[in-house]
């Protein structure tokens, strides 16, 4: 059974810091991996999607890497801003049909 | 592109009544839609997978007679919570997969907060 874990569970940093959020999964036979952002009481915003054949994806200040063989992905946030405060979720697509979500990292960036 | 809407965004109902939540793909055809529920400060848990024109596939532990799913068209899926109870209060989120896409990416709706009193 696929299990997805995110570390840390919560993170509070001053703005301007570069951040690394971690995601690990137990079954490396994934189709792709997505990183999402969720603001309180809101739905999900897709940030980055990495196909299993890819090693990283970049969008603006965000960079996500994937090491499928070791079951790990990291989301790198450069020069964090208060507006980055949210919960970040990673999810693996295991058999092209179901997304298995991680436990989430609650990020707070203070001015 | 790839916008998914949900209606209503929030609903309060009395215990024992039924509530219907709609999920629509606005600018693409979704052969497959997914329903998730999320309890406070927890992650999303898949409830069921809905395929257009066929019966939904429910995850283990989800009562199919309580959570009725209908996917009658390529742009609309509905979730009906029947005989709702306070423990059904949760945040329900749907997602849709573009039937013509090759990445199997899911696009998520904004969620519906259900409160059962």
């Amino acid at each position: 059974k696929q299990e997805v874990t995110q570390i840390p569970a919560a993170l509070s940093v001053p703005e301007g810091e570069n951040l690394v959020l971690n995601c690990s999964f137990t079954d490396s036979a994934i189709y792709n991996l997505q990183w999402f952002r969720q603001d309180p009481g809101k739905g999900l915003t897709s940030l980055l999607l990495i196909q299993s054949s890819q090693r990283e994806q970049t969008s603006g200040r965000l960079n996500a890497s994937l090491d499928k063989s070791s079951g790990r992905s990291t989301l790198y946030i450069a020069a964090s801003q208060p507006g980055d405060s949210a919960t970040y979720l990673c999810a693996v697509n295991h058999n092209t049909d179901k997304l298995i979500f991680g436990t989430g990292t609650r990020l707070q960036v203070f001015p | 592109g790839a916008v998914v809407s949900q209606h209503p965004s929030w609903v309060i109902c009395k215990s024992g009544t039924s509530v219907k939540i709609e999920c629509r793909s606005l600018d693409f055809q979704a052969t497959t839609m997914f329903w998730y529920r999320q309890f406070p400060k927890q992650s999303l848990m898949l409830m069921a997978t809905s395929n257009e024109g066929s019966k939904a596939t429910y995850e283990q532990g989800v009562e199919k007679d309580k959570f009725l799913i209908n996917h009658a068209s390529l742009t609309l899926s509905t979730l009906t919570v029947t005989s709702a109870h306070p423990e059904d209060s949760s945040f329900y989120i749907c997602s849709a997969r573009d039937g013509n896409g090759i990445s199997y990416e899911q696009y998520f709706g904004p969620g519906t907060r259900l409160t059962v009193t």
Side-chain angles (χ1 to χ4, degrees):
Chain A
K1 178 184 176 184
Q2 177 73 274
E3 293 184 0
V4 184
T5 306
Q6 291 184 244
I7 295 173
L11 187 60
S12 181
V13 300
E15 71 174 312
E17 282 202 5
N18 299 323
L19 309 172
V20 176
L21 308 183
N22 298 291
C23 173
S24 62
F25 45 96
T26 56
D27 187 339
S28 62
I30 64 171
Y31 190 79
N32 59 41
L33 182 145
Q34 271 183 276
W35 282 93
F36 295 91
R37 168 189 174 135
Q38 185 176 32
D39 292 288
K42 304 294 184 182
L44 303 182
T45 299
S46 179
L47 298 175
L48 292 164
L49 181 147
I50 312 176
Q51 301 292 349
S52 62
S53 58
Q54 297 174 324
R55 296 193 65 84
E56 66 175 346
Q57 284 286 335
T58 298
S59 176
R61 293 182 294 108
L62 305 179
N63 175 277
S65 66
L66 174 64
D67 185 342
K68 199 174 77 162
S69 61
S70 66
R72 295 180 181 177
S73 176
T74 59
L75 178 66
Y76 178 81
I77 304 176
S80 59
Q81 304 170 357
D84 295 331
S85 299
T87 295
Y88 290 81
L89 296 164
C90 71
V92 298
N93 189 330
H94 187 46
N95 60 358
T96 77
D97 216 11
K98 300 180 184 179
L99 279 180
I100 308 298
F101 280 85
T103 47
T105 294
R106 292 188 300 279
L107 172 65
Q108 182 180 9
V109 182
F110 53 90
Chain B
V3 178
V4 176
S5 70
Q6 280 185 243
H7 178 80
S9 56
W10 59 271
V11 58
I12 301 173
C13 71
K14 293 185 177 180
S15 184
T17 62
S18 295
V19 175
K20 180 184 286 188
I21 303 170
E22 293 184 348
C23 177
R24 293 181 185 273
S25 57
L26 299 185
D27 50 3
F28 65 97
Q29 293 184 331
T31 53
T32 305
M33 289 185 171
F34 305 86
W35 287 95
Y36 298 83
R37 66 187 297 180
Q38 184 180 34
F39 291 107
K41 296 187 178 181
Q42 294 188 24
S43 194
L44 278 73
M45 296 296 294
L46 179 66
M47 298 175 65
T49 302
S50 167
N51 291 296
E52 187 266 337
S54 63
K55 292 183 179 181
T57 302
Y58 291 81
E59 294 300 301
Q60 190 173 6
V62 178
E63 299 176 58
K64 63 180 181 180
D65 294 329
K66 180 169 184 61
F67 298 98
L68 300 179
I69 292 173
N70 183 278
H71 192 163
S73 77
L74 287 173
T75 59
L76 173 65
S77 176
T78 60
L79 168 69
T80 301
V81 183
T82 62
S83 188
H85 288 94
E87 57 265 31
D88 298 323
S89 298
S90 187
F91 194 53
Y92 292 87
I93 304 178
C94 73
S95 70
R97 193 172 74 202
D98 188 339
N100 294 317
I102 59 173
S103 68
Y104 294 98
E105 183 172 1
Q106 292 182 27
Y107 303 98
F108 284 79
T112 296
R113 182 159 305 283
L114 170 63
T115 301
V116 184
T117 61

